[in-house]
Amino acid sequence: MPEGPMAVVKPEMKPYIWLQTTDGSIQQVEEEVAMFCPMICREVLQTGMGSSKNYAISLPQRVNPAILGLILDYCRFHQVPGRSNKERKTFDEKFIKLDAKKLCELTSAADSLQLRPLVDLTSRALARMIEGKTPEEIRETFNLPDDLTEEEKLEPLRNLTDDPRIRLLNRLYARKRKELKERAKVKNVEVEEEQLVDERPVDELLSFINGDGESKGVKAAKNKKKNRRRKDLSGNFSSNDSNCNQFKEPNHLPSGYLIGDIDNATSQSKSAVFQDSASVTFSPQLEFDNELDPAMEEELDREVEDFARRLNSVWPERMQEMLSLGQERRPVPVSLNGNGAVK
Amino acid sequence: MENPSQKRLTLSSEMDAGASVDRISSLPDSVLCHILSFLPTTKYAVGTSILSKRWKFLWTGVPYLLFDDDRVHKSPERVRKFEQFVNKVLLLSTVQNILKFRLCGNEFIEPFYVNAWISTAIIRNVRVLKVQVFYYCRADVVIELPSCLFTCRTLEDLELWDNLDINTPNLVCLPRLKRLTLSDIQYRNDESVSKLISGCPILEFLDICRCSFDNVTVFVISSPSLKQLRFRGPDDFPENLHYKVAINTPALESLDYSNHIWQHIGVNFQNITSLVRAKIDVEAFPGDDAPQSAFCNSLVELVQALHGVKILTLSQKTMNALSYATTCLSTRRFEGLTKLVVGAGCCEWTCLQDLVEAAVNLEVLDFTKNWHREHTIESCWRDPIEVPRCLITSLKQISLEELEGCEDELAMIGYILKHGSVLNRMHLSSKVGGLSTKFQLTQKILLFPRRSPTCQIAFCRQAGPRSLFSKS
């Protein structure tokens, strides 16, 4: 690297330091301001760079010109020795009023320049943004991808208790996950795969589950659904198949019972579920093989869908509750309980 | 230079304006942990584990483990969950050097766990440790603090609160401990305390709050390095024992002493040569009986022992107790005293006069009152026999708060103005009365003859109820 001997000999003579950002643009900065950054300071003292335009100090990649401007503003203020703590604090508070995007960039740049006080300041501001927000809100603020599976999100719950509801829930989720996987596979084969998402409104589903709704209306809706489903059953048989296998486990627990249990249903609702499905033969020992009644299958799928969706929407609050140990609630399944109101 | 638009295409995605880019996750792990470490408790940090894959285990690198459970609830279920939470966090945490570990828990926590958690923190080189588990209902339960706590090489700040039992082992060696807080602790005997304190060679800050019947008769505080001491005595003390406190701290700069009992105070300042600031607050028991003279005389001795300090703060109740003493404060000169902050209503003015007389080099005098007592003496203000020396030679600034505008006060203010030869500023403030009353008061005072040509009188707006001793 070409050296700048003049710069090394008398650095004090040069009041400006030259800095180059990754986009190639070069700017000159007052020496005392630039030297406030440990990284720049080291570069100047160790290599003698920065004394002229040709020997500008290359700044790390994470520093772009706009952010560099902000950083230099910070340095310019704080490098003045005579300021009182109050003045500095007031400046910092105003300085930090930036949006999440800028704050992240600023943190990144300050970190690469090793400007510790600024990293602390921005980190604190970012922490304030995280604190008190639900996970959904945090994801929105920072554009985080929602890439955890529902089961992964639930993990903290796993070892909390041996509550049978948790086990049921986990089983449902495992089944759902498999379903999603299969569906993804099938999707690649058939482009126009009808979505299995239940398009009925949540309330209707709820009332169906709880047996509050009119049996007629519900029946009609269900039949409609049945008809729609029938078309694709052949295509989906494989997925149903794997789902069926899942249920070989709890032989003593008929699938209908699963739903009823989660519901914490009253006997009324339990009977409602099975009364309406005229074609379903409810027997305590359901044989889960390829001849599973599609209507039953359909109901189970619906339950899981609904459950999943509900979970997604109430999850943030649930998580807060779980972690804050603030309530003596039982785990999530209770949300399906009573009046259809989501707690 | 190349075409700027071309250049722009090669820039990192961070440059994209307005794009919904996840910027924060691209920060290095260490920075993200640093951000999480500013969250108030570990619960919040763990909560970020469900944000996304990147964040799932980030919290495990945060070197602050702060566990706060609501201490008031009585639900064993909640306590179990809390225990499980702490256990899980400690298992998953990858931090080898814990910076701060705080456990504020409910009394139903298993003592076994508390012991294990503290041990974990110590093994992982904790620097700041606070334990506050108040075993109130379960008085029979005793938490055994692990003995490794007393030989921890990395501990810098230790706080033990609420009924913990300290059985100091014979060997106490806390080479890095600078700050120690012992609040409502039960000791085994006198030596527990002295061993603990003398086992901290570089101790600078000590905060002791004694509980009643803590098994210590003579409380010895002996430390060559101690700079700040805050001592709060117990609310109750067995009558057959003699209450004694011995303070041997040659480097002590600041003392905050507070006591609640009427018994004879045996505070022995063996060595306080460096003391600069002292604050004394002796709170009276409820009741209007006059305190015993033995007590008051011991209080006089205590204050006189502080004659070398520069700044002395005495609460109104202290002054009140002093005024019942039979021995006189001014038998000792307070040569070093330059600033005096007192609480003094008209009942305490006699004592105040004594003090001012003794403080021959006083420069600043602040007084306020926050406790009003019906005066038994008819006229509270009596002109002193001799003009106090500091008024003539050194008193530059005086401030009076909570003025009521009564005759006694005006007499006192008039006297000060008349004799204060070097007085620069007088600050007055009052909360009583409306604007017109205040205006009249102001007018009267401004008309008083002033000895000092440079004296300025300022009427400040009082901000609101302000206690002489801030809550801490």
Side-chain angles (χ1 to χ4, degrees):
Chain A
M1 241 186 198
E3 288 168 42
M6 292 301 283
V8 172
V9 168
K10 282 189 183 156
E12 318 87 66
M13 300 293 278
K14 304 271 180 190
Y16 286 96
I17 300 225
W18 298 82
L19 304 170
Q20 181 176 33
T21 45
T22 40
D23 65 339
S25 62
I26 301 176
Q27 46 178 300
Q28 65 180 40
V29 182
E30 305 91 314
E31 185 186 8
E32 65 269 12
V33 173
M35 294 288 265
F36 198 71
C37 293
M39 185 242 146
I40 295 175
C41 190
R42 226 193 6 217
E43 280 292 307
V44 169
L45 293 175
Q46 284 179 6
T47 65
M49 296 277 283
S51 55
S52 68
K53 197 164 179 179
N54 294 333
Y55 301 116
I57 295 176
S58 303
L59 293 178
Q61 191 221 2
R62 290 189 267 159
V63 185
N64 63 59
I67 290 296
L68 179 63
L70 274 176
I71 293 185
L72 292 174
D73 285 341
Y74 180 86
C75 295
R76 198 166 287 123
F77 183 87
H78 280 281
Q79 57 90 17
V80 176
R83 300 205 196 270
S84 72
N85 281 339
K86 193 169 177 193
E87 277 178 357
R88 290 182 196 270
K89 217 176 161 194
T90 320
F91 174 86
D92 283 348
E93 271 162 38
K94 271 198 213 129
F95 187 78
I96 215 61
K97 285 193 179 140
L98 300 164
D99 58 69
K101 166 188 160 207
K102 277 244 152 50
L103 271 177
C104 292
E105 286 181 352
L106 195 53
T107 312
S108 184
D111 180 55
S112 63
L113 289 174
Q114 295 156 7
L115 195 52
R116 192 81 200 166
L118 185 55
V119 175
D120 283 349
L121 182 62
T122 49
S123 299
R124 222 182 278 266
L126 285 166
R128 256 180 271 141
M129 279 185 166
I130 292 175
E131 184 188 336
K133 285 206 171 90
T134 65
E136 276 306 314
E137 287 167 355
I138 300 174
R139 282 198 209 103
E140 210 184 291
T141 312
F142 294 105
N143 298 309
L144 298 174
D146 190 358
D147 56 2
L148 286 172
T149 65
E150 280 139 5
E151 202 186 53
E152 282 178 307
K153 283 182 194 166
L154 262 188
E155 254 171 33
L157 267 181
R158 280 195 160 227
N159 49 8
L160 256 188
T161 69
D162 274 335
D163 197 322
R165 282 160 210 285
I166 300 288
R167 271 189 268 121
L168 287 170
L169 187 62
N170 288 335
R171 255 181 258 127
L172 269 177
Y173 268 79
R175 190 170 77 117
K176 187 65 197 162
R177 247 186 327 140
K178 277 219 172 118
E179 230 180 81
L180 289 168
K181 258 191 239 164
E182 297 303 317
R183 205 171 294 150
K185 265 193 243 162
V186 175
K187 228 186 211 167
N188 294 334
V189 174
E190 284 183 350
V191 179
E192 274 181 333
E193 171 70 38
E194 195 213 23
Q195 285 302 319
L196 284 183
V197 174
D198 194 343
E199 277 143 350
R200 287 189 299 167
V202 172
D203 294 325
E204 208 188 333
L205 280 170
L206 263 173
S207 58
F208 172 75
I209 294 165
N210 291 333
D212 291 339
E214 302 164 59
S215 49
K216 249 197 202 168
V218 169
K219 202 174 190 171
K222 202 183 82 59
N223 285 333
K224 255 193 266 171
K225 185 75 179 164
K226 235 198 269 187
N227 290 334
R228 262 202 319 202
R229 287 278 194 115
R230 282 243 155 91
K231 266 192 270 174
D232 305 303
L233 270 174
S234 48
N236 296 334
F237 226 68
S238 54
S239 69
N240 287 340
D241 202 25
S242 50
N243 291 338
C244 301
N245 290 337
Q246 197 73 8
F247 277 92
K248 275 229 159 78
E249 264 184 355
N251 286 336
H252 57 291
L253 269 183
S255 64
Y257 226 81
L258 264 175
I259 297 165
D261 201 27
I262 290 165
D263 249 5
N264 199 21
T266 58
S267 53
Q268 181 205 14
S269 61
K270 231 192 259 180
S271 49
V273 169
F274 296 106
Q275 254 165 32
D276 291 333
S277 34
S279 49
V280 173
T281 39
F282 172 61
S283 80
Q285 285 145 3
L286 283 173
E287 311 270 4
F288 290 99
D289 51 20
N290 293 348
E291 268 120 70
L292 178 71
D293 190 289
M296 173 67 86
E297 199 48 40
E298 186 180 302
E299 267 159 44
L300 295 174
D301 288 340
R302 252 203 307 277
E303 304 305 346
V304 174
E305 293 289 1
D306 174 60
F307 206 77
R309 191 190 9 260
R310 199 85 55 69
L311 209 66
N312 263 332
S313 63
V314 308
W315 182 246
E317 294 95 81
R318 282 285 155 225
M319 199 61 196
Q320 301 278 36
E321 282 166 21
M322 287 298 150
L323 290 176
S324 68
L325 315 160
Q327 319 287 326
E328 275 150 72
R329 287 180 192 281
R330 281 175 304 177
V332 184
V334 176
S335 67
L336 286 176
N337 202 2
N339 316 328
V342 171
K343 280 205 187 156
Chain B
M1 272 267 254
E2 291 162 16
N3 191 351
S5 59
Q6 244 187 344
K7 252 311 191 235
R8 209 158 288 150
L9 288 171
T10 63
L11 292 171
S12 68
S13 61
E14 286 178 53
M15 294 284 279
D16 280 329
S20 49
V21 173
D22 176 11
R23 265 164 250 280
I24 195 172
S25 299
S26 58
L27 292 170
D29 276 7
S30 57
V31 177
L32 287 175
C33 276
H34 191 58
I35 294 172
L36 290 181
S37 68
F38 287 107
L39 292 170
T41 65
T42 299
K43 171 182 91 177
Y44 289 94
V46 173
T48 63
S49 62
I50 59 161
L51 288 177
S52 76
K53 278 192 166 26
R54 172 95 172 90
W55 289 76
K56 191 152 164 65
F57 290 112
L58 268 178
W59 64 267
T60 60
V62 176
Y64 293 86
L65 296 171
L66 311 168
F67 302 106
D68 292 329
D69 187 23
D70 185 2
R71 294 165 62 209
V72 178
H73 71 90
K74 289 203 191 314
S75 149
E77 219 180 83
R78 268 182 66 176
V79 177
R80 292 290 95 69
K81 285 201 179 140
F82 178 73
E83 287 169 358
Q84 283 165 357
F85 176 68
V86 177
N87 283 331
K88 181 157 184 184
V89 169
L90 287 178
L91 276 171
L92 288 178
S93 171
T94 58
V95 177
Q96 279 313 302
N97 296 298
I98 299 177
L99 290 179
K100 188 167 177 184
F101 187 97
R102 181 173 77 216
L103 176 65
C104 291
N106 182 275
E107 53 180 324
F108 290 102
I109 299 181
E110 271 300 318
F112 168 77
Y113 278 138
V114 177
N115 184 300
W117 294 337
I118 298 175
S119 303
T120 313
I122 292 172
I123 289 171
R124 298 216 207 148
N125 306 314
V126 67
R127 292 207 201 157
V128 177
L129 177 63
K130 175 173 175 180
V131 182
Q132 185 173 23
V133 181
F134 182 50
Y135 278 73
Y136 174 63
C137 292
R138 305 171 77 192
D140 53 318
V141 172
V142 167
I143 303 186
E144 287 266 341
L145 291 174
S147 53
C148 56
L149 174 61
F150 299 99
T151 51
C152 179
R153 312 192 122 265
T154 52
L155 204 54
E156 292 173 12
D157 186 335
L158 176 62
E159 284 188 40
L160 298 172
W161 288 70
D162 293 349
N163 249 14
L164 286 175
D165 205 338
I166 291 193
N167 184 12
T168 333
N170 275 325
L171 176 63
V172 175
C173 180
L174 295 162
R176 281 224 162 96
L177 197 69
K178 280 196 176 156
R179 295 177 64 94
L180 179 60
T181 302
L182 299 167
S183 179
D184 287 331
I185 300 291
Q186 298 277 341
Y187 308 95
R188 288 291 161 94
N189 49 34
D190 289 8
E191 271 109 43
S192 290
V193 183
S194 53
K195 259 191 289 181
L196 180 55
I197 294 173
S198 49
C200 311
I202 61 167
L203 194 64
E204 287 181 10
F205 172 88
L206 179 60
D207 187 343
I208 306 249
C209 185
R210 292 182 68 181
C211 59
S212 326
F213 308 101
D214 56 1
N215 302 321
V216 178
T217 316
V218 181
F219 207 101
V220 177
I221 299 171
S222 173
S223 165
S225 54
L226 198 64
K227 290 202 178 122
Q228 256 183 291
L229 173 63
R230 192 168 166 265
F231 186 94
R232 219 172 125 103
D235 289 332
D236 203 354
F237 201 79
E239 277 185 27
N240 53 332
L241 298 175
H242 294 294
Y243 182 89
K244 279 205 182 70
V245 179
I247 297 178
N248 181 0
T249 49
L252 196 67
E253 290 170 8
S254 165
L255 170 69
D256 186 342
Y257 177 88
S258 160
N259 214 334
H260 292 239
I261 54 176
W262 270 143
Q263 281 165 274
H264 176 89
I265 302 174
V267 178
N268 182 5
F269 291 112
Q270 288 167 349
N271 191 340
I272 44 164
T273 45
S274 312
L275 200 59
V276 173
R277 274 180 301 274
K279 221 192 223 187
I280 308 286
D281 179 18
V282 174
E283 273 223 36
F285 268 171
D288 284 325
D289 300 332
Q292 293 178 345
S293 56
F295 168 75
C296 302
N297 290 343
S298 65
L299 192 52
V300 170
E301 265 178 48
L302 194 160
V303 175
Q304 284 185 330
L306 300 169
H307 64 101
V309 307
K310 290 209 179 88
I311 303 171
L312 182 62
T313 307
L314 299 172
S315 71
Q316 190 172 356
K317 302 225 169 125
T318 316
M319 294 290 284
N320 187 264
L322 284 169
S323 56
Y324 283 100
T326 51
T327 56
C328 186
L329 255 177
S330 50
T331 51
R332 199 62 140 104
R333 276 170 149 209
F334 286 62
E335 288 105 351
L337 197 59
T338 52
K339 180 169 175 179
L340 180 63
V341 181
V342 288
C346 41
C347 300
E348 290 86 34
W349 284 343
T350 352
C351 175
L352 177 61
Q353 284 183 3
D354 279 344
L355 258 180
V356 171
E357 196 189 307
V360 291
N361 296 318
L362 194 65
E363 290 174 21
V364 178
L365 173 61
D366 280 348
F367 64 100
T368 181
K369 62 173 183 284
N370 48 14
W371 176 57
H372 183 73
R373 198 168 158 139
E374 290 301 320
H375 32 106
T376 51
I377 324 163
E378 275 176 21
S379 163
C380 291
W381 175 258
R382 269 181 277 252
D383 282 1
I385 308 160
E386 259 183 48
V387 178
R389 208 175 109 187
C390 62
L391 209 52
I392 304 172
T393 55
S394 56
L395 191 64
K396 295 197 181 74
Q397 192 176 312
I398 183 165
S399 90
L400 286 94
E401 281 184 22
E402 303 266 357
L403 286 176
E404 282 170 23
C406 61
E407 289 301 316
D408 292 309
E409 276 174 2
L410 288 170
M412 174 173 67
I413 295 172
Y415 181 85
I416 293 169
L417 286 169
K418 187 165 149 201
H419 296 277
S421 320
V422 293
L423 201 58
N424 268 341
R425 281 181 83 80
M426 176 184 271
H427 291 267
L428 300 167
S429 64
S430 166
K431 276 195 317 204
V432 171
L435 269 173
S436 58
T437 336
K438 288 196 180 121
F439 186 65
Q440 282 173 1
L441 180 66
T442 318
Q443 277 195 311
K444 272 191 218 163
I445 293 175
L446 285 171
L447 289 172
F448 286 151
R450 292 176 222 180
R451 184 67 174 267
S452 162
T454 54
C455 179
Q456 287 181 339
I457 301 180
F459 290 88
C460 316
R461 204 146 168 233
Q462 201 158 332
R466 203 175 69 146
S467 163
L468 193 62
F469 293 86
S470 53
K471 292 199 177 113
S472 49

